[in-house]
Amino acid sequence: MLVLFETPAGYSLFKLLDEKKIKNVDNIWDEFSTASKAQDNLQLMAFKKFKTTTEATESIASLQDGKLSKTLKKFIKSKCDGSEKLAVADAKLGNLLKESLEIPCVHNSAISELLRGIRAHSDSLLGEHKAELAAMNLAVSHSLGRYKVKFNPEKIDTMIVQAVSLLDDLDKELNNYVMRCREWYGWHFPELGKILPDHQAFAKVVKAIGMRQKAIDTDLSSILPEELEARVKEEAEISMGTDISDIDLLHISQLCDQVIELTEYRTQLFDYLKNRMAALAPNLTALLGELVGARLISHAGSLVSLAKYPASTVQILGAEKALFRALKTKKDTPKYGLLYHAQLISQAPAKCKGKMARKLAGKVSLSSRIDALADDQKGAEIGIESRALLESVLRSEQERGPKRVSNSAHKHEKYHFKSETYGYDESADNTAKNQKRKFEEEDEKPAKKPKVEVVEENEDAEMEDVSEKKKKKKDKKKSKVEEEEEEEE
């Protein structure tokens, strides 16, 4: 029997000298417990060395994907003629070799123990190739890790971190540019800023109008609705702004161009971020949205780092300063950090925000672990289910009334309306006739027999103690009375 053993340096083919030794699985390790025993049982037939690390990476990656590489196919075809069985480490690889080369392959628990023994003494069994094996071990592991990252580019969360950071920077710059543009043009047409709160519409109108005297002849139907267009033209005629020069207007129009371009680029960047988040973290996106989810990933450093955090850390992520300040001053710790901007918490009433933040943090921790570590086949099912569950909890919290007081003195039973009606009971009145009737009824009734109680031995002893105490008290009273009488005499 031939044995195929894969190493980072290349493929090795061993010949098992005695097949009877692998019939009993429990005794296989004893046969390969030392290097000398392993050399006595195995003989190295051939060794196919990898020329470069890229070739080794491709061969190992193809084996992991369940494919047969060209290097391995040529090696097995040249060394095996099909007369002997081939022991392999993977059943899928055995099926591929059997289909493509028609070589009988074996894989069972005995083969796994045999390969375990070869792996334990691979340095002594390979002989000359020992130095190559040690050198290629680390190189192939690094290149294989890089190959996996390149193979699935959608799982690179660095792009999300950079995109959301750039998005926040763009928002700051846009706010500065729009504020400067509104103040600058406000000296000429101050009423326009109050009419148009939208920044992009304001920049487009300023660029289209120019001087406010031209507003009447300018067509703004492509930018504004009819009502706003008419109002802008009316205000332009009676505006109290000062006149500006053409050079001032030129610089203002260039600033408006910058605002419009940055706004358009921001929309493109946000679409890119949405697509990346849907591919990388679908469950987290369904639960929090694109922006809040991306900010959590950016703050944690990566999706894997976020998945490692417990729910309590996720809840206050972004509020580290407030947390350490509260711990230092011995005050209440913050209830939420970046999660405060999530829709589920912003919709919650003030009393339920802390409770919803705690529940949401638990679901976020679960969703991030599924996105980072689970397969892509599940999609966003768990995130959607978690969001539906949290929405139902929020709805029930909003519909619930005030809580009951914990003190038992304030508890009241629920009142039930009685369907039966009762008439007035005249016999309950306190009259002379009723009193005579009661006395007569009491005389006619037989006297009640005294109750006879059975007293246990312990109770009898207690009664005797009580009677003795009473006697002592009476004796003391008698002695006092006698003393007083003697004093009077």
Side-chain angles (χ1 to χ4, degrees), residues 60-79:
I60 294 170
S62 61
L63 284 176
Q64 290 179 349
D65 296 338
K67 298 177 182 177
L68 193 64
S69 62
K70 294 181 180 179
T71 308
L72 179 60
K73 193 173 181 180
K74 289 180 181 178
F75 176 64
I76 297 296
K77 194 174 182 180
S78 61
K79 301 298 178 183

Side-chain angles (χ1 to χ4, degrees), residues 3 66 90 104 138 208 228 236 250 300 314 354 356 367 383 438 460 478:
V3 183
D90 190 8
L138 185 63
L228 282 177
L250 179 64
V314 173
M356 287 304 300
S367 301
K438 286 180 181 179
D460 292 337
K478 286 182 180 180

Side-chain angles (χ1 to χ4, degrees), residues 20-299:
K20 294 179 181 179
K21 292 184 178 181
I22 63 169
K23 287 184 178 180
N24 192 357
V25 180
D26 297 331
N27 296 332
I28 292 176
W29 177 249
D30 296 334
E31 298 292 335
F32 292 88
S33 58
T34 60
S36 60
K37 288 183 178 180
Q39 290 176 355
D40 294 338
N41 293 321
L42 292 169
Q43 181 183 356
L44 182 63
M45 299 291 293
F47 185 82
K48 176 62 177 176
K49 178 184 172 183
F50 293 131
K51 295 179 181 178
T52 58
T53 54
T54 55
E55 184 184 357
T57 304
E58 290 175 0
S59 301
I60 294 170
S62 61
L63 284 176
Q64 290 179 349
D65 296 338
K67 298 177 182 177
L68 193 64
S69 62
K70 294 181 180 179
T71 308
L72 179 60
K73 193 173 181 180
K74 289 180 181 178
F75 176 64
I76 297 296
K77 194 174 182 180
S78 61
K79 301 298 178 183
C80 298
D81 53 357
S83 59
E84 289 185 292
K85 293 181 180 179
L86 181 65
V88 292
D90 190 8
K92 292 181 180 179
L93 177 62
N95 293 330
L96 292 171
L97 289 171
K98 192 174 181 180
E99 290 175 2
S100 59
L101 303 175
E102 297 181 355
I103 295 173
C105 298
V106 183
H107 174 73
N108 48 36
S109 58
I111 300 300
S112 300
E113 284 293 320
L114 176 62
L115 292 170
R116 180 168 165 247
I118 296 173
R119 194 177 297 110
H121 306 290
S122 58
D123 295 344
S124 59
L125 289 172
L126 291 174
E128 302 174 351
H129 311 286
K130 178 180 177 181
E132 297 172 0
L133 179 64
M136 289 287 286
N137 226 338
L138 185 63
V140 173
S141 62
H142 284 305
S143 58
L144 187 63
R146 287 193 293 269
Y147 172 80
K148 284 183 177 179
V149 172
K150 291 179 182 177
F151 185 72
N152 193 1
E154 293 180 353
K155 286 293 182 182
I156 304 175
D157 47 10
T158 310
M159 304 301 174
I160 289 176
V161 174
Q162 297 296 331
V164 73
S165 301
L166 180 59
L167 201 66
D168 293 337
D169 293 340
L170 279 176
D171 289 335
K172 291 178 183 178
E173 293 298 324
L174 269 172
N175 287 332
N176 291 332
Y177 281 15
V178 169
M179 181 187 67
R180 192 64 56 203
C181 183
R182 284 179 180 273
E183 288 183 0
W184 204 345
Y185 194 72
W187 289 98
H188 180 61
F189 192 1
E191 294 82 5
L192 186 64
K194 297 178 181 179
I195 298 171
L196 301 177
D198 185 39
H199 302 325
Q200 192 172 10
F202 178 84
K204 288 181 179 179
V205 168
V206 169
K207 188 169 176 58
I209 290 175
M211 295 293 182
R212 70 170 186 271
Q213 291 82 4
K214 300 178 182 178
I216 301 172
D217 302 330
T218 307
D219 184 17
L220 302 175
S221 59
S222 60
I223 304 171
L224 300 175
E226 294 180 1
E227 298 176 357
L228 282 177
E229 183 181 0
R231 189 178 171 188
V232 167
K233 290 181 178 180
E234 289 176 4
E235 294 290 339
E237 293 179 359
I238 58 173
S239 177
M240 298 179 65
T242 59
D243 293 334
I244 56 175
S245 62
D246 295 336
I247 299 174
D248 297 333
L249 186 61
L250 179 64
H251 286 288
I252 292 171
S253 62
Q254 289 178 354
L255 183 58
C256 291
D257 290 335
Q258 293 290 326
V259 170
I260 294 168
E261 289 177 4
L262 284 175
T263 307
E264 292 176 354
Y265 177 63
R266 189 195 179 283
T267 55
Q268 294 176 4
L269 186 64
F270 184 68
D271 293 338
Y272 167 77
L273 183 64
K274 283 174 68 176
N275 296 331
R276 279 290 183 183
M277 282 295 294
L280 179 71
N283 293 288
L284 193 65
T285 305
L287 195 59
L288 293 177
E290 293 84 7
L291 276 178
V292 181
R295 286 194 177 102
L296 278 176
I297 294 172
S298 176
H299 197 83

Side-chain angles (χ1 to χ4, degrees), residues 403-431:
K403 295 181 179 179
R404 292 183 178 179
V405 183
S406 60
N407 191 3
S408 60
H410 296 280
K411 286 185 178 179
H412 299 285
E413 294 182 359
K414 192 175 181 181
Y415 180 77
H416 298 282
F417 289 98
K418 298 176 181 178
S419 59
E420 299 178 0
T421 57
Y422 300 94
Y424 181 72
D425 188 9
E426 295 180 355
S427 62
D429 292 341
N430 190 11
T431 58

